[in-house]
Amino acid sequence: MPQPRRVAVLDDYQQVASTYADWDALDAEEVTFFAEHLGDADGVVAALEPYDVVVAMRERTAFPADVLARLGNLQLLVTTGPANVAIDVEAARARGVTVSGTGGVSPSTPTVEMTWALIHALARHVPAEDRAVREGRWQHTVGRDLSGRRLGVIGLGGLGRPVATVGLAFGMDVVAWSQHLDPDDARAAGVGAVSKDELLETSDVVTIHLKLSERTTGLLGRDELARMKPDALLVNTSRGPIVDEDALVEALHAGTIGGAGLDVFGAEPLPADSPLRTAPRTVLTPHLGYVTEGTYDVFYREAVEDIRAWADGAPIREL
C-alpha cells in the first residue's frame, strides 16, 4: 500500500489549513502548506515536483495535462469540493494518478450569503461610506431601495433558487432565465420566467448563478451589457469568464450600468494591473463565496480522510 511521503497543501491564503484537520495523523515525512499562489505552469511544477500527494483548494491552481505530465512523483491529487474543472482528470488517470474530492457544507448557503452581501454593499454604498467615515466625512451617498425593485436571476438552480427566495423576502419582483429553465419550476418558486433580453432590460439587479462551460463563457458581453438599465447592478459570484471583463470595464466607465459586485474573475488572484481594480462603482472581493469556517472544516478534514483512505489502498470520493 502507498504511504504519503511529502504532502503539499496549496493556496492556503489565510494560513489556516493546518488548524482544520489532523495532518499529523497522516504519518507523512512532510506536510507543506503553501500560503502564496504558485503562479504559472512552470511555477507549479518547480514547487510541486518533489511531492507525491497534493491537496488543491478548488480551482485556485490548475492541473492540465501538460502540468501533470511534468509531476513525475505525483500519485494522489485531492481537490476540495466534489468536482474541479481545473484538473484534467482523464490525463491524471492515464498517468496512474488518483484524483479524489471532498464534500462541502450546504452546496449553496455560503455563496448565497456572499451574493447578498455584494448586493447590499452596492445598493447602500457600504465600502464607500466606510472609507468616508474613516476619512472624517459623513453621509455623502443615497442608497437605493430593494423592495419593489426587480431582481433578475440568471440560472435558477441550487444557487439561484435560494438567492431568489431571499429577494422575495425583501419584497422584490423576481424573474429568472436560463437556457433550459422550466416555467413551471420558476412559478413554483414564486419567480417569473422571462427571456434573457427581458431580464436584462427590466431588472434593477442582475445576479449570475451558472456553471462555467463553453456555452456560458462570455454569456454577458457588450451587447448584453448594453441592454441593461443604466442604473442596474450586476453581481457575479459564479465564475469570472461568464462576463466579458473588458466589456464590463467599458460599461462601468461609460456609466451605462450602475455598478458591479464581483467575487470571481477571469484570472485569480486578480492581477495587479487589472483594469477592474480602478473601475468605478464596483465592489470587488477575492472569491470569498465558499470561504467560510464550515466549508473549510469539511474541505480539509475530508482531504485528510481521502489521503488516509488512499494510503490504505481503498481510495474514496474518486473523481
Side-chain angles (χ1 to χ4, degrees), residues 159-210:
L159 289 164
R161 186 177 292 261
V163 167
T165 299
V166 175
L168 293 169
F170 279 118
M172 301 186 77
D173 170 34
V174 183
V175 296
W177 171 85
S178 67
Q179 188 174 32
H180 302 294
L181 179 63
D182 185 334
D184 290 335
D185 288 344
R187 281 191 291 271
V191 175
V194 297
S195 68
K196 181 172 70 172
D197 286 351
E198 181 178 345
L199 184 148
L200 294 172
E201 291 167 0
T202 65
S203 295
D204 299 289
V205 179
V206 175
T207 180
I208 302 168
H209 303 285
L210 297 172

Side-chain angles (χ1 to χ4, degrees), residues 8-319:
V9 182
L10 306 188
D11 296 305
D12 181 22
Y13 298 153
Q14 302 92 352
Q15 300 182 52
V16 297
S18 63
T19 68
Y20 279 95
D22 183 7
W23 300 94
D24 291 338
L26 297 177
D27 292 326
E29 295 176 14
E30 174 188 338
V31 179
T32 303
F33 300 92
F34 289 87
E36 300 297 326
H37 186 62
L38 298 180
D40 62 12
D42 289 340
V44 171
V45 172
L48 300 183
E49 195 281 330
Y51 293 91
D52 52 329
V53 176
V54 171
V55 178
M57 172 54 76
R58 304 297 291 124
E59 290 97 12
R60 291 177 183 174
T61 296
F63 289 90
D66 62 315
V67 169
L68 292 166
R70 298 164 65 189
L71 295 175
N73 291 309
L74 184 63
Q75 299 182 55
L76 173 65
L77 178 56
V78 176
T79 176
T80 56
N84 188 328
V85 297
I87 295 175
D88 188 331
V89 176
E90 292 299 323
R93 287 179 184 149
R95 298 191 62 82
V97 176
T98 301
V99 183
S100 290
T102 74
V105 296
S106 168
S108 60
T109 302
T111 303
V112 170
E113 293 170 354
M114 190 68 210
T115 298
W116 279 100
L118 288 174
I119 293 173
H120 289 305
L122 283 167
R124 301 302 291 270
H125 309 287
V126 173
E129 290 289 10
D130 174 81
R131 287 193 299 271
V133 170
R134 296 174 190 278
E135 294 167 357
R137 292 177 288 147
W138 192 258
Q139 201 180 94
H140 67 289
T141 63
V142 178
R144 64 176 69 189
D145 301 292
L146 294 178
S147 178
R149 299 291 187 97
R150 171 165 279 194
L151 174 67
V153 181
I154 298 179
L156 196 66
L159 289 164
R161 186 177 292 261
V163 167
T165 299
V166 175
L168 293 169
F170 279 118
M172 301 186 77
D173 170 34
V174 183
V175 296
W177 171 85
S178 67
Q179 188 174 32
H180 302 294
L181 179 63
D182 185 334
D184 290 335
D185 288 344
R187 281 191 291 271
V191 175
V194 297
S195 68
K196 181 172 70 172
D197 286 351
E198 181 178 345
L199 184 148
L200 294 172
E201 291 167 0
T202 65
S203 295
D204 299 289
V205 179
V206 175
T207 180
I208 302 168
H209 303 285
L210 297 172
K211 292 182 178 179
L212 182 63
S213 66
E214 291 185 6
R215 177 173 54 83
T216 61
T217 297
L219 182 71
L220 296 190
R222 285 179 176 81
D223 291 343
E224 290 76 19
L225 294 172
R227 290 185 177 276
M228 292 177 61
K229 299 168 68 171
D231 63 346
L233 305 177
L234 175 66
V235 173
N236 187 6
T237 56
S238 291
R239 289 295 182 269
I242 295 174
V243 179
D244 182 330
E245 289 183 353
D246 291 339
L248 177 59
V249 169
E250 291 175 10
L252 289 165
H253 280 290
T256 53
I257 66 171
L262 306 175
D263 189 45
V264 290
F265 306 92
E268 297 181 3
L270 187 65
D273 61 352
S274 170
L276 282 169
R277 290 181 181 268
T278 54
R281 301 180 309 285
T282 54
V283 177
L284 310 178
T285 52
H287 205 152
L288 298 177
Y290 62 90
V291 181
T292 66
E293 293 176 346
T295 303
Y296 272 21
D297 177 70
V298 173
F299 278 179
Y300 288 122
R301 177 169 44 79
E302 293 195 356
V304 169
E305 291 176 0
D306 288 346
I307 298 170
R308 294 186 68 179
W310 169 79
D312 289 339
I316 58 175
R317 292 187 283 263
E318 288 187 78
L319 273 62

